[in-house]
Amino acid sequence: MQVQQPGVELFRRNQQSQWVLSEYGLGDSLLLESVGVEIAIADLYRQVQFS
């Protein structure tokens, strides 16, 4: 998670065993496939105030 502005960077390993970066912004949702959870990035930052 970013602390200066809303955003999440997620690294996942692909089928070739290479790590691939995905970036998510405030209007995106993030799917954590290994645990079957989808969460909106806005929900992660719900009580955070940016200056």
Short mmCIF file of all heavy atoms in Angstrom, two decimals:
data_model
loop_
_atom_site.label_atom_id
_atom_site.label_comp_id
_atom_site.label_asym_id
_atom_site.label_seq_id
_atom_site.Cartn_x
_atom_site.Cartn_y
_atom_site.Cartn_z
N MET A 1 0.85 -1.18 0.00
CA MET A 1 0.00 0.00 0.00
C MET A 1 0.89 1.23 0.00
O MET A 1 1.96 1.24 0.58
CB MET A 1 -0.91 0.02 1.23
CG MET A 1 -2.01 -1.00 1.18
SD MET A 1 -3.14 -0.92 2.59
CE MET A 1 -3.70 0.75 2.55
N GLN A 2 0.41 2.28 -0.63
CA GLN A 2 1.10 3.56 -0.67
C GLN A 2 0.58 4.42 0.48
O GLN A 2 -0.55 4.29 0.92
CB GLN A 2 0.81 4.27 -2.00
CG GLN A 2 1.22 3.48 -3.22
CD GLN A 2 2.71 3.37 -3.35
OE1 GLN A 2 3.45 4.27 -2.98
NE2 GLN A 2 3.17 2.25 -3.85
N VAL A 3 1.42 5.32 0.97
CA VAL A 3 0.97 6.22 2.03
C VAL A 3 0.88 7.66 1.57
O VAL A 3 0.25 8.47 2.23
CB VAL A 3 1.89 6.12 3.28
CG1 VAL A 3 1.76 4.75 3.91
CG2 VAL A 3 3.32 6.41 2.94
N GLN A 4 1.49 8.00 0.45
CA GLN A 4 1.42 9.37 -0.08
C GLN A 4 0.16 9.58 -0.91
O GLN A 4 -0.40 10.67 -0.94
CB GLN A 4 2.66 9.67 -0.93
CG GLN A 4 3.96 9.58 -0.17
CD GLN A 4 4.06 10.62 0.94
OE1 GLN A 4 3.53 11.72 0.82
NE2 GLN A 4 4.73 10.26 2.01
N GLN A 5 -0.27 8.55 -1.61
CA GLN A 5 -1.47 8.61 -2.43
C GLN A 5 -2.07 7.20 -2.47
O GLN A 5 -1.37 6.22 -2.28
CB GLN A 5 -1.16 9.09 -3.84
CG GLN A 5 -0.17 8.20 -4.57
CD GLN A 5 0.19 8.76 -5.93
OE1 GLN A 5 -0.30 9.80 -6.34
NE2 GLN A 5 1.05 8.08 -6.63
N PRO A 6 -3.38 7.09 -2.73
CA PRO A 6 -3.99 5.77 -2.71
C PRO A 6 -3.49 4.90 -3.86
O PRO A 6 -3.49 5.31 -5.01
CB PRO A 6 -5.49 6.06 -2.86
CG PRO A 6 -5.65 7.50 -3.07
CD PRO A 6 -4.33 8.16 -2.94
N GLY A 7 -3.06 3.71 -3.52
CA GLY A 7 -2.61 2.77 -4.54
C GLY A 7 -1.99 1.53 -3.90
O GLY A 7 -1.54 1.56 -2.77
N VAL A 8 -2.01 0.44 -4.66
CA VAL A 8 -1.46 -0.83 -4.19
C VAL A 8 -0.62 -1.42 -5.32
O VAL A 8 -1.03 -1.40 -6.48
CB VAL A 8 -2.58 -1.81 -3.80
CG1 VAL A 8 -2.02 -3.19 -3.50
CG2 VAL A 8 -3.36 -1.29 -2.61
N GLU A 9 0.56 -1.92 -4.97
CA GLU A 9 1.39 -2.66 -5.90
C GLU A 9 1.39 -4.12 -5.46
O GLU A 9 1.64 -4.42 -4.29
CB GLU A 9 2.82 -2.13 -5.91
CG GLU A 9 2.93 -0.72 -6.43
CD GLU A 9 4.35 -0.19 -6.39
OE1 GLU A 9 5.20 -0.76 -5.66
OE2 GLU A 9 4.61 0.80 -7.08
N LEU A 10 1.09 -5.02 -6.38
CA LEU A 10 0.98 -6.44 -6.06
C LEU A 10 1.87 -7.24 -7.00
O LEU A 10 1.81 -7.06 -8.22
CB LEU A 10 -0.48 -6.90 -6.21
CG LEU A 10 -0.74 -8.38 -6.06
CD1 LEU A 10 -0.51 -8.81 -4.61
CD2 LEU A 10 -2.15 -8.72 -6.49
N PHE A 11 2.70 -8.08 -6.44
CA PHE A 11 3.53 -8.98 -7.23
C PHE A 11 2.94 -10.37 -7.19
O PHE A 11 2.63 -10.89 -6.12
CB PHE A 11 4.96 -9.02 -6.69
CG PHE A 11 5.75 -7.79 -6.99
CD1 PHE A 11 5.73 -6.70 -6.13
CD2 PHE A 11 6.52 -7.71 -8.14
CE1 PHE A 11 6.46 -5.57 -6.40
CE2 PHE A 11 7.26 -6.57 -8.41
CZ PHE A 11 7.23 -5.49 -7.55
N ARG A 12 2.79 -10.97 -8.38
CA ARG A 12 2.31 -12.35 -8.49
C ARG A 12 3.27 -13.13 -9.37
O ARG A 12 3.84 -12.59 -10.31
CB ARG A 12 0.93 -12.39 -9.15
CG ARG A 12 -0.18 -11.91 -8.27
CD ARG A 12 -1.52 -12.28 -8.89
NE ARG A 12 -2.60 -12.02 -7.98
CZ ARG A 12 -3.54 -11.12 -8.18
NH1 ARG A 12 -3.56 -10.40 -9.27
NH2 ARG A 12 -4.50 -10.95 -7.28
N ARG A 13 3.40 -14.41 -9.07
CA ARG A 13 4.26 -15.26 -9.90
C ARG A 13 3.41 -15.86 -11.02
O ARG A 13 2.34 -16.41 -10.77
CB ARG A 13 4.87 -16.37 -9.05
CG ARG A 13 6.05 -16.99 -9.73
CD ARG A 13 6.73 -18.05 -8.94
NE ARG A 13 6.60 -17.90 -7.51
CZ ARG A 13 7.52 -18.31 -6.64
NH1 ARG A 13 8.62 -18.87 -7.07
NH2 ARG A 13 7.33 -18.17 -5.36
N ASN A 14 3.92 -15.77 -12.25
CA ASN A 14 3.18 -16.32 -13.39
C ASN A 14 3.58 -17.77 -13.64
O ASN A 14 4.35 -18.36 -12.88
CB ASN A 14 3.37 -15.45 -14.64
CG ASN A 14 4.79 -15.41 -15.14
OD1 ASN A 14 5.63 -16.25 -14.80
ND2 ASN A 14 5.08 -14.43 -15.99
N GLN A 15 3.08 -18.35 -14.72
CA GLN A 15 3.33 -19.76 -15.02
C GLN A 15 4.78 -20.05 -15.36
O GLN A 15 5.22 -21.20 -15.28
CB GLN A 15 2.42 -20.23 -16.16
CG GLN A 15 0.96 -20.25 -15.76
CD GLN A 15 0.06 -20.68 -16.91
OE1 GLN A 15 0.45 -20.65 -18.06
NE2 GLN A 15 -1.16 -21.05 -16.56
N GLN A 16 5.53 -19.02 -15.74
CA GLN A 16 6.95 -19.18 -16.04
C GLN A 16 7.82 -18.92 -14.80
O GLN A 16 9.02 -18.77 -14.90
CB GLN A 16 7.38 -18.23 -17.17
CG GLN A 16 6.78 -18.56 -18.52
CD GLN A 16 5.34 -18.07 -18.64
OE1 GLN A 16 4.95 -17.07 -18.07
NE2 GLN A 16 4.53 -18.79 -19.41
N SER A 17 7.19 -18.84 -13.64
CA SER A 17 7.84 -18.57 -12.35
C SER A 17 8.52 -17.21 -12.29
O SER A 17 9.46 -17.01 -11.54
CB SER A 17 8.86 -19.67 -12.02
OG SER A 17 8.19 -20.89 -11.82
N GLN A 18 8.02 -16.26 -13.07
CA GLN A 18 8.52 -14.89 -13.03
C GLN A 18 7.53 -14.04 -12.24
O GLN A 18 6.32 -14.25 -12.31
CB GLN A 18 8.67 -14.32 -14.45
CG GLN A 18 9.69 -15.06 -15.28
CD GLN A 18 9.71 -14.56 -16.71
OE1 GLN A 18 8.67 -14.19 -17.27
NE2 GLN A 18 10.88 -14.55 -17.31
N TRP A 19 8.08 -13.07 -11.50
CA TRP A 19 7.23 -12.18 -10.72
C TRP A 19 6.75 -11.05 -11.62
O TRP A 19 7.52 -10.42 -12.33
CB TRP A 19 8.00 -11.62 -9.54
CG TRP A 19 8.25 -12.67 -8.52
CD1 TRP A 19 9.41 -13.37 -8.33
CD2 TRP A 19 7.33 -13.17 -7.55
NE1 TRP A 19 9.25 -14.28 -7.31
CE2 TRP A 19 8.00 -14.18 -6.81
CE3 TRP A 19 6.01 -12.88 -7.25
CZ2 TRP A 19 7.38 -14.87 -5.77
CZ3 TRP A 19 5.39 -13.58 -6.22
CH2 TRP A 19 6.08 -14.56 -5.50
N VAL A 20 5.45 -10.78 -11.59
CA VAL A 20 4.82 -9.76 -12.42
C VAL A 20 4.15 -8.74 -11.51
O VAL A 20 3.40 -9.10 -10.60
CB VAL A 20 3.78 -10.39 -13.38
CG1 VAL A 20 3.10 -9.32 -14.21
CG2 VAL A 20 4.45 -11.44 -14.26
N LEU A 21 4.43 -7.46 -11.76
CA LEU A 21 3.87 -6.37 -10.96
C LEU A 21 2.54 -5.92 -11.55
O LEU A 21 2.42 -5.69 -12.75
CB LEU A 21 4.84 -5.19 -10.94
CG LEU A 21 4.31 -3.88 -10.36
CD1 LEU A 21 4.01 -4.03 -8.88
CD2 LEU A 21 5.31 -2.76 -10.60
N SER A 22 1.54 -5.78 -10.68
CA SER A 22 0.25 -5.17 -11.04
C SER A 22 0.03 -4.00 -10.11
O SER A 22 0.29 -4.09 -8.92
CB SER A 22 -0.89 -6.17 -10.89
OG SER A 22 -0.73 -7.27 -11.73
N GLU A 23 -0.45 -2.89 -10.67
CA GLU A 23 -0.71 -1.70 -9.88
C GLU A 23 -2.19 -1.39 -9.89
O GLU A 23 -2.85 -1.51 -10.92
CB GLU A 23 0.09 -0.51 -10.43
CG GLU A 23 1.58 -0.75 -10.35
CD GLU A 23 2.39 0.44 -10.82
OE1 GLU A 23 2.18 1.54 -10.28
OE2 GLU A 23 3.20 0.27 -11.74
N TYR A 24 -2.71 -1.02 -8.73
CA TYR A 24 -4.14 -0.75 -8.57
C TYR A 24 -4.33 0.64 -7.99
O TYR A 24 -3.62 1.04 -7.08
CB TYR A 24 -4.77 -1.78 -7.63
CG TYR A 24 -4.66 -3.20 -8.16
CD1 TYR A 24 -3.55 -3.98 -7.89
CD2 TYR A 24 -5.68 -3.73 -8.93
CE1 TYR A 24 -3.45 -5.27 -8.39
CE2 TYR A 24 -5.60 -5.02 -9.43
CZ TYR A 24 -4.47 -5.78 -9.16
OH TYR A 24 -4.37 -7.05 -9.65
N GLY A 25 -5.33 1.35 -8.52
CA GLY A 25 -5.64 2.69 -8.05
C GLY A 25 -6.94 2.73 -7.26
O GLY A 25 -7.60 1.70 -7.04
N LEU A 26 -7.32 3.91 -6.88
CA LEU A 26 -8.46 4.12 -5.99
C LEU A 26 -9.77 3.55 -6.53
O LEU A 26 -10.59 3.06 -5.78
CB LEU A 26 -8.62 5.61 -5.71
CG LEU A 26 -9.51 6.01 -4.55
CD1 LEU A 26 -9.04 5.36 -3.26
CD2 LEU A 26 -9.55 7.51 -4.40
N GLY A 27 -9.97 3.54 -7.83
CA GLY A 27 -11.22 3.03 -8.39
C GLY A 27 -11.19 1.55 -8.72
O GLY A 27 -12.16 1.01 -9.25
N ASP A 28 -10.10 0.86 -8.40
CA ASP A 28 -9.93 -0.55 -8.74
C ASP A 28 -10.31 -1.47 -7.58
O ASP A 28 -10.41 -1.05 -6.44
CB ASP A 28 -8.47 -0.84 -9.12
CG ASP A 28 -8.02 -0.09 -10.36
OD1 ASP A 28 -8.84 0.10 -11.27
OD2 ASP A 28 -6.84 0.32 -10.39
N SER A 29 -10.48 -2.74 -7.93
CA SER A 29 -10.65 -3.80 -6.93
C SER A 29 -9.50 -4.78 -7.08
O SER A 29 -9.01 -5.01 -8.17
CB SER A 29 -11.97 -4.54 -7.13
OG SER A 29 -13.05 -3.72 -6.79
N LEU A 30 -9.12 -5.35 -5.98
CA LEU A 30 -8.00 -6.28 -5.93
C LEU A 30 -8.52 -7.66 -5.58
O LEU A 30 -9.26 -7.83 -4.62
CB LEU A 30 -7.01 -5.80 -4.86
CG LEU A 30 -5.86 -6.70 -4.49
CD1 LEU A 30 -4.91 -6.87 -5.66
CD2 LEU A 30 -5.11 -6.11 -3.31
N LEU A 31 -8.15 -8.66 -6.39
CA LEU A 31 -8.55 -10.04 -6.12
C LEU A 31 -7.35 -10.80 -5.58
O LEU A 31 -6.31 -10.89 -6.22
CB LEU A 31 -9.05 -10.71 -7.41
CG LEU A 31 -9.39 -12.19 -7.30
CD1 LEU A 31 -10.50 -12.43 -6.29
CD2 LEU A 31 -9.75 -12.75 -8.66
N LEU A 32 -7.50 -11.32 -4.37
CA LEU A 32 -6.48 -12.17 -3.76
C LEU A 32 -6.92 -13.61 -4.01
O LEU A 32 -7.71 -14.18 -3.26
CB LEU A 32 -6.34 -11.87 -2.27
CG LEU A 32 -5.93 -10.44 -1.93
CD1 LEU A 32 -5.96 -10.22 -0.43
CD2 LEU A 32 -4.56 -10.13 -2.51
N GLU A 33 -6.42 -14.17 -5.11
CA GLU A 33 -6.89 -15.46 -5.60
C GLU A 33 -6.65 -16.60 -4.60
O GLU A 33 -7.47 -17.49 -4.47
CB GLU A 33 -6.22 -15.78 -6.93
CG GLU A 33 -6.60 -14.80 -8.02
CD GLU A 33 -5.78 -14.97 -9.29
OE1 GLU A 33 -4.92 -15.87 -9.32
OE2 GLU A 33 -6.02 -14.21 -10.24
N SER A 34 -5.53 -16.56 -3.91
CA SER A 34 -5.17 -17.66 -3.01
C SER A 34 -6.15 -17.82 -1.85
O SER A 34 -6.30 -18.91 -1.30
CB SER A 34 -3.75 -17.48 -2.48
OG SER A 34 -3.65 -16.29 -1.73
N VAL A 35 -6.83 -16.74 -1.48
CA VAL A 35 -7.79 -16.82 -0.37
C VAL A 35 -9.22 -16.50 -0.81
O VAL A 35 -10.14 -16.47 0.01
CB VAL A 35 -7.37 -15.89 0.81
CG1 VAL A 35 -6.12 -16.41 1.46
CG2 VAL A 35 -7.19 -14.46 0.35
N GLY A 36 -9.41 -16.24 -2.11
CA GLY A 36 -10.74 -16.00 -2.64
C GLY A 36 -11.40 -14.74 -2.13
O GLY A 36 -12.60 -14.73 -1.86
N VAL A 37 -10.61 -13.66 -1.99
CA VAL A 37 -11.14 -12.40 -1.47
C VAL A 37 -10.94 -11.30 -2.50
O VAL A 37 -9.87 -11.17 -3.10
CB VAL A 37 -10.41 -12.01 -0.16
CG1 VAL A 37 -10.80 -10.62 0.29
CG2 VAL A 37 -10.70 -13.03 0.92
N GLU A 38 -11.99 -10.52 -2.71
CA GLU A 38 -11.89 -9.34 -3.57
C GLU A 38 -12.22 -8.12 -2.71
O GLU A 38 -13.20 -8.12 -1.97
CB GLU A 38 -12.85 -9.42 -4.75
CG GLU A 38 -12.71 -8.26 -5.70
CD GLU A 38 -13.53 -8.44 -6.96
OE1 GLU A 38 -14.33 -9.39 -7.05
OE2 GLU A 38 -13.37 -7.61 -7.87
N ILE A 39 -11.38 -7.10 -2.80
CA ILE A 39 -11.59 -5.90 -1.99
C ILE A 39 -11.32 -4.66 -2.84
O ILE A 39 -10.40 -4.63 -3.65
CB ILE A 39 -10.69 -5.91 -0.72
CG1 ILE A 39 -11.04 -4.75 0.19
CG2 ILE A 39 -9.22 -5.91 -1.09
CD1 ILE A 39 -10.48 -4.86 1.59
N ALA A 40 -12.15 -3.67 -2.64
CA ALA A 40 -11.97 -2.39 -3.34
C ALA A 40 -10.81 -1.63 -2.69
O ALA A 40 -10.70 -1.60 -1.46
CB ALA A 40 -13.25 -1.57 -3.27
N ILE A 41 -9.98 -1.04 -3.51
CA ILE A 41 -8.85 -0.26 -3.00
C ILE A 41 -9.38 0.89 -2.14
O ILE A 41 -8.80 1.21 -1.10
CB ILE A 41 -7.98 0.28 -4.15
CG1 ILE A 41 -7.45 -0.88 -5.01
CG2 ILE A 41 -6.84 1.14 -3.63
CD1 ILE A 41 -6.66 -1.92 -4.28
N ALA A 42 -10.50 1.46 -2.51
CA ALA A 42 -11.10 2.54 -1.71
C ALA A 42 -11.41 2.08 -0.29
O ALA A 42 -11.27 2.84 0.66
CB ALA A 42 -12.36 3.06 -2.40
N ASP A 43 -11.79 0.81 -0.13
CA ASP A 43 -12.07 0.28 1.21
C ASP A 43 -10.80 0.17 2.04
O ASP A 43 -10.84 0.35 3.26
CB ASP A 43 -12.76 -1.08 1.14
CG ASP A 43 -14.20 -0.99 0.67
OD1 ASP A 43 -14.79 0.12 0.74
OD2 ASP A 43 -14.73 -2.01 0.22
N LEU A 44 -9.68 -0.13 1.40
CA LEU A 44 -8.42 -0.20 2.14
C LEU A 44 -8.03 1.16 2.72
O LEU A 44 -7.38 1.25 3.75
CB LEU A 44 -7.29 -0.69 1.23
CG LEU A 44 -7.41 -2.12 0.72
CD1 LEU A 44 -6.29 -2.40 -0.28
CD2 LEU A 44 -7.35 -3.10 1.87
N TYR A 45 -8.43 2.23 2.04
CA TYR A 45 -8.07 3.59 2.44
C TYR A 45 -9.24 4.34 3.05
O TYR A 45 -9.20 5.56 3.18
CB TYR A 45 -7.57 4.36 1.21
CG TYR A 45 -6.20 3.94 0.77
CD1 TYR A 45 -6.02 3.01 -0.25
CD2 TYR A 45 -5.07 4.48 1.35
CE1 TYR A 45 -4.77 2.64 -0.68
CE2 TYR A 45 -3.81 4.11 0.95
CZ TYR A 45 -3.66 3.19 -0.06
OH TYR A 45 -2.40 2.81 -0.48
N ARG A 46 -10.28 3.66 3.46
CA ARG A 46 -11.52 4.28 3.91
C ARG A 46 -11.31 5.35 4.97
O ARG A 46 -11.91 6.41 4.92
CB ARG A 46 -12.48 3.20 4.40
CG ARG A 46 -13.81 3.72 4.82
CD ARG A 46 -14.77 2.62 5.24
NE ARG A 46 -14.05 1.50 5.83
CZ ARG A 46 -14.37 0.23 5.64
NH1 ARG A 46 -15.39 -0.08 4.89
NH2 ARG A 46 -13.68 -0.73 6.20
N GLN A 47 -10.46 5.13 5.94
CA GLN A 47 -10.29 6.10 7.03
C GLN A 47 -8.96 6.86 6.95
O GLN A 47 -8.53 7.46 7.93
CB GLN A 47 -10.42 5.39 8.37
CG GLN A 47 -11.80 4.82 8.59
CD GLN A 47 -11.94 4.13 9.94
OE1 GLN A 47 -11.01 4.07 10.71
NE2 GLN A 47 -13.13 3.62 10.21
N VAL A 48 -8.34 6.84 5.78
CA VAL A 48 -7.07 7.53 5.60
C VAL A 48 -7.32 8.89 4.98
O VAL A 48 -8.06 9.00 4.01
CB VAL A 48 -6.11 6.71 4.70
CG1 VAL A 48 -4.82 7.46 4.44
CG2 VAL A 48 -5.85 5.35 5.31
N GLN A 49 -6.71 9.92 5.55
CA GLN A 49 -6.81 11.27 5.02
C GLN A 49 -5.46 11.66 4.43
O GLN A 49 -4.43 11.56 5.10
CB GLN A 49 -7.22 12.26 6.09
CG GLN A 49 -8.62 12.03 6.61
CD GLN A 49 -9.01 13.05 7.66
OE1 GLN A 49 -8.24 13.93 8.02
NE2 GLN A 49 -10.21 12.92 8.17
N PHE A 50 -5.47 12.08 3.17
CA PHE A 50 -4.24 12.52 2.50
C PHE A 50 -4.18 14.04 2.54
O PHE A 50 -5.18 14.71 2.40
CB PHE A 50 -4.23 12.02 1.06
CG PHE A 50 -4.19 10.52 0.97
CD1 PHE A 50 -5.37 9.80 0.81
CD2 PHE A 50 -3.00 9.85 1.06
CE1 PHE A 50 -5.34 8.41 0.74
CE2 PHE A 50 -2.95 8.46 0.99
CZ PHE A 50 -4.12 7.75 0.82
N SER A 51 -2.97 14.56 2.72
CA SER A 51 -2.85 16.02 2.76
C SER A 51 -2.56 16.60 1.42
O SER A 51 -2.23 15.98 0.50
CB SER A 51 -1.74 16.46 3.70
OG SER A 51 -0.87 15.48 4.10
#
